[in-house]
Amino acid sequence: MGNESKTRRLLEDAARRGIAYRETCAGRSVAPKPDAVAAVGRFVEALPVEGKDDEDVLAMLDEIGSPASIAMAGPRFFGFVIGGSLPVTLATNWLSSAWDQNVVMHEVTPATATLEQVALSWLVELFDLPPETGAGFVTGATVANFTALAAARHRVFADAGWNVESVGLIGAPPVTLIVSDEAHPTLFKSLGMLGLGRDRVVRIPTDRQGRMIAAELPAAEGPTIVCTQAGNINSGAIDPIGEICDAVEGSGAWVHVDGAFGMWAAASKALRSMTDGMQRADSWATDAHKWLNVPYDSGIAFVRNAADLASAMAITADYLITETEHRNPSDYTPELSRRGRGIDVWAALRSLGRNGVEKLIDGCCAHARRFAAGLSAAGFEVLNDVVLNQVVVSFGDDAKTREVIGAIQSDGTCWCGVTVWQGKTAMRISVSSWATTGEDVEKSLRAMIDTARRLGARSV
Ligand SMILES: Cc1ncc(COP(=O)(O)O)c(C=O)c1O
């Protein structure tokens, strides 16, 4: 058999297996069964001296890997904040993987670079960010925070007469970092990776929903970066970003928004007021693999002044075609080489349109409210104001709540994780997938309530 027909057979086999996986996702246990998990041990083998047949390699991946995967792509996965890729984005992901483009330079990959530029301009419009905003596609909100804060670091040091990209941080003037007490741990990690320190921060207290209290901000003096948050990982609450911008107005402080998922509230007329003032910030980080439901991995860093982002990220070399009239994708990202993540974002936005994104966001929030109402009616304590797509619920004391969560996970109807919220162990329900229907919510509610009652849980 020629190479051509072997490749065709292999890719058709992969497509057939992928389609079968997606078609069975809604009907299977969300958590993999223990025997399937045990079977992953079969992957652990010595490096083969001679290569194996390609069809066998694929078959092994499917036969062992597929049953051992958790059904994140299905409609009843409510763990962490994880969307399930929209079919069109999976399709464009498959096709663009076939292209195998390295999106470094516009001149070399014009189609990919143009698609990314279009996707970025649509996002800027969707979030109502300043039209001059620059941006880059990265792996997720962690790296989006890192990238945007690298631009912030550039600007605040440049304003203090210090070229941080050139001479680094040793001997640099001090910078004040203002961070919410409820900032996501990856925000602190980003600050650490930038050499600004995870702990050298001024922490601002938050209210009962995890929102930064703007009145507690110190007067911003000298080089200052203020990190706000749109979407608390537990409650979904959004910081009062407008009030925070008011508090530092005129000080020259850089305001950043970690909007991994909460930023998407700006795409909904019903929710938009929660993000009031967000557009006044200097930089923003968000994920597309969460609420836009594109395949992993996909995040975006936005910076109002594109030149600050390029100053932190752009490089040049004799062998690279960086002299161009076009936007060079790698001028705005930490990576030089990377895949065309923006293609799936373009596909999601083109397929959904502005109205479809709004419907997706509003739909997830409506499902979250139904979860909260159903659990409250059954006598369990919902610990947060359900303002977005997040519900935090207690099934009694910490031990009982953990026991119930474990039993819900192994029941397999749905999957939710554990957290600690305001000192109380709780279950987090995050509704982030396009695939979740009202029926999925009712089915999951029944499983949660039946499991909790069977274990004798009651609210305290
Ligand atoms: C507010 C916030 N920031 C950052 C992150 C990190 O995102 P990622 O895992 O996509 O890097 C998350 C993840 O849930 C988040 O909720």
Side-chain angles (χ1 to χ4, degrees):
M1 196 187 309
N3 263 349
E4 225 169 85
S5 51
K6 267 194 90 165
T7 302
R8 169 179 285 274
R9 264 190 36 184
L10 185 67
L11 295 184
E12 284 175 352
D13 193 20
R16 189 179 55 74
R17 291 175 186 275
I19 293 164
Y21 181 86
R22 292 297 284 248
E23 284 179 344
T24 53
C25 237
R28 56 166 281 195
S29 165
V30 178
K33 293 292 180 195
D35 54 338
V37 175
V40 299
R42 285 170 51 207
F43 283 137
V44 184
E45 55 181 357
L47 171 68
V49 177
E50 299 298 339
K52 309 285 184 197
D53 188 74
D54 290 349
E55 282 171 19
D56 287 349
V57 173
L58 181 66
M60 183 180 184
L61 178 68
D62 186 29
E63 283 156 22
I64 303 173
S66 294
S69 68
I70 191 161
M72 287 177 176
R76 292 186 304 283
F77 182 84
F78 306 116
F80 313 101
V81 184
I82 287 185
S85 51
L86 288 156
V88 68
T89 65
L90 178 60
T92 55
N93 188 278
W94 281 357
L95 177 59
S96 58
S97 287
W99 294 353
D100 201 15
Q101 300 288 287
N102 181 358
V103 194
V104 180
M105 294 159 283
H106 181 103
E107 305 291 343
V108 183
T109 56
T112 322
T114 302
L115 285 164
E116 290 204 343
Q117 194 168 358
V118 171
L120 286 175
S121 71
W122 286 352
L123 288 171
V124 165
E125 194 182 323
L126 192 75
F127 293 132
D128 199 21
L129 300 183
E132 70 273 19
T133 299
F137 284 104
V138 294
T139 51
T142 304
V143 179
N145 279 323
F146 169 83
T147 305
L149 290 169
R153 186 182 69 162
H154 166 81
R155 174 49 43 211
V156 296
F157 278 116
D159 287 349
W162 189 266
N163 185 338
V164 72
E165 284 76 27
S166 169
V167 296
L169 285 166
I170 296 170
V175 168
T176 305
L177 301 161
I178 299 178
V179 175
S180 156
D181 233 356
E182 274 284 335
H184 194 269
T186 57
L187 195 279
F188 295 99
K189 178 174 168 175
S190 299
L191 293 173
M193 290 193 293
L194 286 162
L196 298 171
R198 294 186 185 196
D199 298 325
R200 238 194 96 270
V201 293
V202 180
R203 295 179 80 121
I204 306 300
T206 56
D207 66 15
R208 295 276 306 157
Q209 298 303 318
R211 284 179 294 246
M212 200 194 281
I213 301 171
E216 298 279 344
L217 280 167
E221 278 167 29
T224 302
I225 301 172
V226 184
C227 299
T228 69
Q229 181 168 260
N232 179 285
I233 190 69
N234 288 309
S235 69
I238 295 175
D239 283 347
I241 303 169
E243 285 176 41
I244 294 166
C245 289
D246 287 341
V248 298
E249 178 97 50
S251 69
W254 181 289
V255 177
H256 172 70
V257 180
D258 175 359
F261 63 100
M263 213 168 144
W264 293 88
S268 154
K269 289 188 277 300
L271 304 168
R272 191 174 292 156
S273 63
M274 282 195 296
T275 65
D276 273 354
M278 179 182 91
Q279 294 75 7
R280 291 167 59 196
D282 299 286
S283 60
W284 306 262
T286 197
D287 267 318
H289 59 215
K290 288 187 167 67
W291 229 348
L292 189 60
N293 283 242
V294 307
Y296 276 85
D297 42 30
S298 188
I300 305 113
F302 299 96
V303 176
R304 175 188 290 269
N305 182 359
D308 287 337
L309 181 54
S311 295
M313 295 295 151
I315 54 155
T316 187
D318 291 339
Y319 81 102
L320 295 173
I321 311 165
T322 49
E323 289 283 317
T324 171
E325 61 183 291
H326 300 288
R327 172 188 178 275
N328 242 345
S330 64
D331 285 352
Y332 302 96
T333 54
E335 305 93 345
L336 182 62
S337 298
R338 65 174 178 84
R339 72 180 186 88
R341 292 193 184 92
I343 297 171
D344 306 331
V345 173
W346 165 83
L349 293 174
R350 189 155 199 273
S351 159
L352 293 170
R354 186 187 275 281
N355 290 344
V357 176
E358 182 171 33
K359 212 166 139 203
L360 169 65
I361 303 303
D362 286 345
C364 290
C365 295
H367 291 325
R369 291 194 296 274
R370 171 64 194 131
F371 268 122
L375 289 162
S376 293
F380 302 111
E381 190 187 5
V382 173
L383 303 176
N384 65 318
D385 291 347
V386 180
V387 293
L388 210 61
N389 60 336
Q390 307 290 121
V391 185
V392 189
V393 58
S394 157
F395 293 106
D397 64 22
D398 292 355
K400 183 55 75 182
T401 297
R402 279 185 193 275
E403 186 189 357
V404 171
I405 296 168
I408 288 170
Q409 290 174 355
S410 39
D411 164 75
T413 305
C414 62
W415 201 98
C416 302
V418 68
T419 192
V420 176
W421 176 240
Q422 308 279 351
K424 237 179 169 178
T425 298
M427 184 173 85
R428 287 178 68 250
I429 306 170
S430 176
V431 191
S432 311
S433 175
W434 68 276
T436 304
T437 63
E439 234 171 79
D440 290 309
V441 175
E442 297 309 321
K443 194 170 170 182
S444 303
L445 262 176
R446 263 195 313 277
M448 289 171 187
I449 293 167
D450 288 353
T451 304
R453 286 189 174 148
R454 178 170 52 78
L455 294 172
R458 58 182 179 79
S459 197
V460 286

